[in-house]
Amino acid sequence: MHKKLVHFIFSILLCNSKFFYMESKNYHEDLSHIRSMMERSSRFISLSGLSGVFAGISAIIGAMYVFFVFKREGIDYFDGDRNVFTKDLVQELFIIGIVILISALVSGYIFTASKSRKKGLKIWDATTRRLLVTFTIPLVTGGLFCLILLKHHLFVFIAPVTLIFYGLALISAERYTLTDLKYLGYCQIILGLISCLFLGWGLIAWTIGFGVLHIVYGWSMHKKYK
């Protein structure tokens, strides 16, 4: 009788322990689900890695076109800081840069909108607006600074400055989107600072930063968040 009572009590305790274990497990699962929902609501997670790949390809194509423009004008780019650019050539290079930027933005929107539709998420909400604001402020500041450099004919600093301010914009935007974005930002800033030490080689640094790094980052993000 005593053994049966002990066995009965032990069975109750075992059932209770299983019950509490299941309750604890469900509790942690609920917390994980809530945390995931908060993450989705506070971050723009539909940013497409393919948009980075396409932006990188556009930058490389643009850099190749610029190289042939130099040859057309009789400029040996590999003379480094001994090259002299005319006002008309600088304006043409500026237009090429704008075309590349527009191409990257349009492709980024197309790929990101497609990813958002597949996930059933809104592409435009409060998080997107915050993302754009934090990204645009450093970017516009850098753009205005480049125009000032252009006015004072300090063309050799424009490529490094674009890389540095673009990197700052990426790091600022990371708060509202994929955390991996900041690593691309760090690389852009470091590359821009190195480019400041080797003036006259801005096209090479620009091609690596906006071309190669974008492709590597975009493809890795596409595979990671596919």
Side-chain angles (χ1 to χ4, degrees), residues 18-31:
K18 289 182 178 180
F19 174 77
F20 285 122
Y21 171 76
M22 293 299 295
E23 285 292 312
S24 177
K25 184 178 179 180
N26 292 336
Y27 174 73
H28 287 297
E29 288 179 351
D30 290 341
L31 282 179

Side-chain angles (χ1 to χ4, degrees), residues 4-189:
K4 290 183 179 180
L5 179 61
V6 171
H7 184 268
F8 176 72
I9 294 174
F10 180 77
S11 299
I12 293 176
L13 292 174
L14 183 61
C15 290
N16 286 336
S17 64
K18 289 182 178 180
F19 174 77
F20 285 122
Y21 171 76
M22 293 299 295
E23 285 292 312
S24 177
K25 184 178 179 180
N26 292 336
Y27 174 73
H28 287 297
E29 288 179 351
D30 290 341
L31 282 179
S32 299
H33 182 65
I34 293 171
R35 190 179 297 111
S36 176
M37 290 178 63
M38 291 178 65
E39 181 79 8
R40 288 165 66 93
S41 64
S42 62
R43 288 181 178 270
F44 183 71
I45 59 175
S46 296
L47 193 63
S48 173
L50 292 178
S51 62
V53 173
F54 193 88
I57 294 173
S58 300
I60 291 176
I61 292 174
M64 293 174 61
Y65 180 75
V66 169
F67 181 78
F68 285 113
V69 168
F70 286 157
K71 292 194 68 174
R72 183 196 69 197
E73 296 295 322
I75 296 175
D76 183 3
Y77 173 74
F78 295 101
D79 277 346
D81 56 2
R82 291 190 294 272
N83 289 319
V84 178
F85 299 158
T86 64
K87 182 179 179 181
D88 290 339
L89 177 58
V90 171
Q91 289 178 348
E92 183 177 358
L93 296 178
F94 182 77
I95 292 172
I96 293 171
I98 294 297
V99 171
I100 294 172
L101 176 62
I102 293 174
S103 175
L105 291 175
V106 170
S107 65
Y109 175 81
I110 292 173
F111 284 115
T112 301
S114 175
K115 186 176 179 181
S116 296
R117 284 194 296 269
K118 289 179 180 178
K119 289 190 172 185
L121 300 173
K122 291 182 179 180
I123 191 173
W124 185 256
D125 55 16
T127 302
T128 312
R129 289 192 290 271
R130 289 192 292 268
L131 169 64
L132 290 178
V133 169
T134 55
F135 180 75
T136 302
I137 291 175
L139 204 63
V140 170
T141 303
L144 293 175
F145 186 48
C146 287
L147 291 177
I148 294 172
L149 294 174
L150 196 63
K151 173 178 170 52
H152 293 288
H153 304 285
L154 299 173
F155 311 133
V156 74
F157 287 102
I158 292 178
V161 165
T162 55
L163 289 167
I164 292 170
F165 276 91
Y166 178 61
L168 292 172
L170 292 174
I171 293 173
S172 298
E174 176 268 338
R175 180 181 177 185
Y176 297 108
T177 184
L178 304 176
T179 56
D180 307 83
L181 197 65
K182 63 185 176 186
Y183 301 115
L184 177 61
Y186 295 148
C187 292
Q188 300 288 358
I189 292 174

